[in-house]
Structure formats: C-alpha cells, structure tokens
Amino acid sequence: MRRPGIRKPDLPGDGVQAETPTRAAGLARLASFVPQAAAYARERNRVVPPHDRVSRLAPYLRHRLILEREAVAAVWDVQPRDTVDKFVSEVLWRTYWKGWLEQRPHVWDAYLDQLRRDRDGLAGTASIRYAEAIAGRSGIPCFDAWANELTETGYLHNHARMWFASIWIFTLRLPWTLGAAFFLRHLLDGDPASNTLSWRWVAGLHTRGKHYLARAENIARYTDGRFDPKGELDEQALPLTEPPLDLTPRALPASVELDVDIPSGLLLTPEDLAPEVSRLSLLRFRGVAGGWDETVGECLDLALPVVDFSRVAIADALSRAEAHFAVPSYVLDEGDWLAAAEAWSLSLAVRKVVMLETPVGQWRKRIEQLDARLARHGIALVRARRTWDSRLWPGATRGFFPFREHANRQTHLESLTRIERPQP
Ligand SMILES: Cc1cc2nc3c(=O)[nH]c(=O)nc-3n(C[C@H](O)[C@H](O)[C@H](O)COP(=O)(O)OP(=O)(O)OC[C@H]3O[C@@H](n4cnc5c(N)ncnc54)[C@H](O)[C@@H]3O)c2cc1C
C-alpha cells in the first residue's frame, strides 16, 4: 500500500476562474454585499447580468467556505433587521432544503434511480430536444441564453433557474431529472438538496399539485425587456405527477459528543470546508487530510470548472486547517480516494478520524464506505454535525414557513449566529 507523504496543496493564481474558491474570497464577497443587503428585498428578482443585486454567495455557502450563520450575522450586524429579513429568509431556504432531505434521504436515491431510467429511456424527438436544450439551441431565446450563461459561468440567477426549469419541464416537455442533472453538472453551487428539491418544487412534485409556470410577461418585466417570449411558452401546462413516494420525515440521528483527549485525524470533504470555525476548532489533531474524489465527479458527470472549484476549495481549507491546528496536511489521491483516506488514517496511528457532517449526496455515500473500511482497523469515523444544523434541520418537517417560524422562535436564530465563532 502506498504510504502517504506530506504534500502542499496548490492555490489558484489570479484569474483562474471568475469565482476564487477560497474562504477569504467568500468573506470578501460577503463584506461587499452587506451594504446593499437592505436593497435586496426590492431588487433581487431582476435578472440583469452581472447580477450585482444578489449576493452570488451560493458557491461559498454550498461548500461551507463561509457559513449560513456568518452571512446572517454579517447583515444583522450592520443593517436594521427588518430591512434584511428577505435575505435572511433566502439563506434559510438553503438550510430548510438540507434539513428536509436529511429527514428523507431516500428522495435523493429515488432521484438518481429515476435519472438513470430517464437517461436510458430518452429516444427519438425527445433526445433531439434534449441535445438542443443543453447546447442552447432550443429556439427559445431566453432559455438558450440561460443555458449558455450556465455552461459558461457556472451560475444562474434564482429567477432564471425557476424560468429555465419551468420551460424545460412544461414547454420543452423534457424529464425534470435530466434538467436537474444539467444544473448539477454546471452550477458551482450545485447541491443535492437545493437543486433536486427546487426542481421537484417547480414540477409540482414537492407541494403536490402546485407547480411553477414561467410566464412571458413576468420574464419580460424582470429582464428589463431583454427577453419577451410571448407565444413561445406553454402557460397552461398541468403539474407533473409521480408514483407515490413516502415523504414522511424520519428522525435525525443524535449529534455525537466529541472526545477531546483521544488522538485523532481530521478529514475534510467539499461539503464543509471551514473546520476552524466549527465545534472542532478546539480539538487537537495529529494530521488533516482532504482531496477530491474522481468517482464522485464522474458519477454526477460534473463539468471541469465545478470539479476545479472543489479541488481548489479543498486546498484552501487544508492550508487553513494546517495553520489553525498546527498539523501537517495531506492531499488524498483522487484516483482511489477511499484507499488513500484509509492509508492516511492508518499512517497517523489514531483510533478516531473526525470530520464535519456530509449531508445527503454522493459524498455521504463515500463516507459510509470509508466508515466500514476504518471499522475493520478499529478506527471510528466520527461525523460532527454543526449546531446550526442540529437545531434547524429538525424543523424542516413541513413547508418553509413553519420552518422559518421554528428557526425564529424555538431555536433562537440570534444565538445560533453567535456560536462557533473563530477562536482568537
Ligand atoms: C431549479 C432551481 C435549482 C436550484 N439549484 C440550486 C443549487 O444546486 N444550489 C444552490 O445553492 N441553490 C440552488 N437553487 C437556489 C437558488 O437559486 C440559489 O441558491 C441562488 O440563486 C444562488 O444565487 P445567490 O448566491 O446570488 O443568491 P441570493 O439571492 O443572493 O441568496 C443568498 C443565499 O441564499 C440562499 N438561497 C437563495 N435562494 C435560495 C433558494 N431558492 N433555495 C435555497 N437557497 C437559496 C443561497 O445560499 C444564496 O447564496 C436553485 C433554485 C432553483 C429554482
């Protein structure tokens, strides 16, 4: 077995891509957004590049280069609360979708199964419509512009995502699963929970029977007349239906206690890349490791810029963790991530490997496999859930508005923004 050595991660140079995948860049983006956060409620629905009326924080929040609580605290610290409530709500939508899927993990598996079936079943004119749609050649100018914007920049404004998904499903009559996969492939913020559940919501599968229909008049208004798809859209389509899927929430496993005295290793995944601002920040480790797993990228068919974003973000997190915990960092082999993670754990001679929770998605599956492998060596893989998630996720049992109430009243959102702050 190859023994891991210590390798320094590479950090990006200027201009590698539009978004710099580092925590510093995320915090800078947040700081530059805060002064305009009060105008967000009024301006956020307008879809006019370069989209400077919205925060564009999603790629940073998605990989937890910065945290939801940091985004909320930053706007609350500076702006009157009532003026930034809309922004706070939007950030909480991310937490809501995560919590909703955590309590119904089989919805992600059902999505992947259906995606495979829909891919295999694509034939004839539908397969031509699909090829044209993803190439930005559907013949509907607004849709084609958004398809190109997505593949070129890795970003789409929320309103454009809603219109795009709706046109994909109800006008082009393509399987929603393939549209969601197209988003996951190209979005720098591509996320199993927000993406899958938003597509289900547009289709009318999340809130059964309630779908989102893109309307030409609405598109013309919010694009400042840049597009006017009058007569091009099906504005009468009915919601999709599907065979019964059990949507009853399941109780979340209890959050683990962390034992500060047992020597352990720290493992990072692109699901949470800010260990120094977490429950783990005061623990002592023998080493920290992380790395991209090629098989995750391949099975989701991720585009190169998406993979590169994760790779560089991991490298950034490793160098921060190395400095914060004063331990050597190690980059795990992409080709056989599982074997590399196992070898690194053994090389540390520890009884425990600790990590921040990987929510439902492909990384969760990889971590479950690693758990089984480490158990054979008597090493425990400990997944620590953030307090934000432990308190808020259980509230995602029904719709967003009860969840928002839960966040406000029962878990004291205020106090959640003050915990796990960086140590001096
Ligand atoms: C069909 C569809 C697919 C989507 N896929 C994803 C996805 O894969 N990953 C993803 O992060 N978001 C997804 N969203 C949600 C939302 O569109 C993006 O989070 C948002 O547009 C990101 O841009 P921003 O950072 O400028 O957002 P802002 O408008 O500035 O909002 C601030 C933050 O709040 C959160 N947020 C805002 N709106 C939503 C929302 N509707 N749902 C969840 N979180 C939200 C994001 O973290 C965002 O960064 C999807 C929405 C739709 C309709």
Side-chain angles (χ1 to χ4, degrees):
M1 190 189 304
R2 195 176 69 83
R3 276 197 72 80
I6 307 301
R7 231 164 58 198
K8 282 274 181 197
D10 300 322
L11 286 175
D14 279 342
V16 170
Q17 52 192 28
E19 301 288 351
T20 306
T22 64
R23 175 162 162 80
L27 289 172
R29 170 71 55 85
L30 177 58
S32 70
F33 173 72
V34 166
Q36 59 188 87
Y40 175 85
R42 196 177 57 245
E43 299 281 338
R44 73 188 182 102
N45 277 329
R46 293 185 58 218
V47 184
V48 184
H51 309 303
D52 48 10
R53 292 168 172 95
V54 289
S55 73
R56 299 201 58 163
L57 284 169
Y60 302 99
L61 289 165
R62 190 270 171 259
H63 296 284
R64 288 204 154 149
L65 284 164
I66 67 168
L67 309 174
E68 290 102 310
R69 68 155 180 76
E70 291 178 310
V72 172
V75 295
W76 274 357
D77 282 351
V78 172
Q79 303 281 7
R81 297 261 166 124
D82 55 338
T83 64
V84 292
D85 198 55
K86 192 72 204 165
F87 178 74
V88 171
S89 268
E90 294 305 313
V91 172
L92 284 170
W93 267 101
R94 159 177 300 281
T95 312
Y96 168 70
W97 287 134
K98 281 280 181 210
W100 196 96
L101 194 60
E102 275 317 293
Q103 295 177 83
R104 300 149 181 99
H106 55 284
V107 172
W108 171 249
D109 297 324
Y111 163 67
L112 292 178
D113 288 346
Q114 188 60 41
L115 173 63
R116 253 173 247 121
R117 281 195 293 274
D118 288 341
R119 262 196 192 128
D120 293 347
L122 204 62
T125 54
S127 102
I128 296 168
R129 279 202 311 286
Y130 171 69
E132 286 173 344
I134 61 173
R137 288 198 307 266
S138 73
I140 302 172
C142 59
F143 181 93
D144 292 341
W146 296 323
N148 291 330
E149 184 179 355
L150 173 63
T151 52
E152 282 161 20
T153 68
Y155 177 79
L156 272 190
H157 184 287
N158 180 59
H159 222 161
R161 294 183 200 205
M162 289 160 63
W163 293 326
F164 185 97
S166 180
I167 296 170
W168 178 286
I169 298 168
F170 299 116
T171 296
L172 297 176
R173 299 262 159 206
L174 288 166
W176 73 270
T177 52
L178 291 174
F182 179 56
F183 268 23
L184 265 192
R185 187 182 315 150
H186 291 290
L187 282 172
L188 294 183
D189 58 50
D191 179 77
S194 288
N195 190 57
T196 315
L197 301 176
S198 295
W199 274 84
R200 288 178 58 81
W201 175 83
V202 170
L205 299 171
H206 182 73
T207 313
R208 295 266 157 85
K210 280 197 184 170
H211 58 334
Y212 175 80
L213 273 181
R215 304 206 180 273
E217 189 267 325
N218 183 263
I219 293 174
R221 168 138 53 104
Y222 285 105
T223 58
D224 287 359
R226 193 166 149 239
F227 299 110
D228 188 2
K230 199 166 177 200
E232 295 171 359
L233 311 183
D234 185 341
E235 301 193 17
Q236 309 298 327
L238 296 174
L240 299 190
T241 54
E242 67 180 355
L245 185 60
D246 180 12
L247 301 182
T248 319
R250 297 173 191 173
L252 292 164
S255 186
V256 290
E257 291 300 318
L258 294 171
D259 190 334
V260 286
D261 294 327
I262 296 183
S264 31
L266 171 61
L267 180 66
L268 301 179
T269 74
E271 296 289 334
D272 195 320
L273 292 171
E276 74 277 28
V277 275
S278 77
R279 297 167 62 198
L280 311 185
S281 67
L282 292 178
L283 300 188
R284 281 197 304 275
F285 295 106
R286 287 204 179 149
V288 54
W292 179 248
D293 181 346
E294 245 173 36
T295 51
V296 168
E298 278 165 11
C299 77
L300 295 177
D301 197 17
L302 300 179
L304 199 57
V306 174
V307 172
D308 281 348
F309 188 95
S310 283
R311 277 201 185 112
V312 179
I314 293 167
D316 173 58
L318 282 176
S319 65
R320 276 183 283 109
E322 190 179 72
H324 177 88
F325 296 103
V327 287
S329 70
Y330 178 69
V331 184
L332 299 174
D333 188 340
E334 299 198 356
D336 194 342
W337 186 92
L338 266 183
E342 183 182 11
W344 166 77
S345 308
L346 288 171
S347 76
L348 291 181
V350 290
R351 308 310 308 159
K352 258 189 188 179
V353 169
V354 179
M355 59 179 304
L356 290 162
E357 179 63 295
T358 45
V360 171
Q362 292 314 92
W363 276 97
R364 162 78 62 88
K365 292 200 189 312
R366 193 61 76 241
I367 292 305
E368 284 168 354
Q369 289 164 339
L370 179 63
D371 193 4
R373 282 203 187 196
L374 293 186
R376 292 204 291 264
H377 304 291
I379 301 174
L381 183 59
V382 179
R383 290 153 36 179
R385 197 181 303 141
R386 286 184 181 273
T387 312
W388 176 274
D389 299 337
S390 290
R391 299 264 187 86
L392 294 179
W393 284 353
T397 50
R398 294 180 288 142
F400 176 74
F401 296 100
F403 170 78
R404 179 74 217 254
E405 289 289 300
H406 166 86
N408 282 351
R409 297 210 180 119
Q410 292 177 36
T411 61
H412 308 296
L413 198 54
E414 169 77 39
S415 67
L416 287 181
T417 66
R418 310 284 155 206
I419 52 170
E420 294 174 347
R421 289 244 165 162
Q423 300 303 311

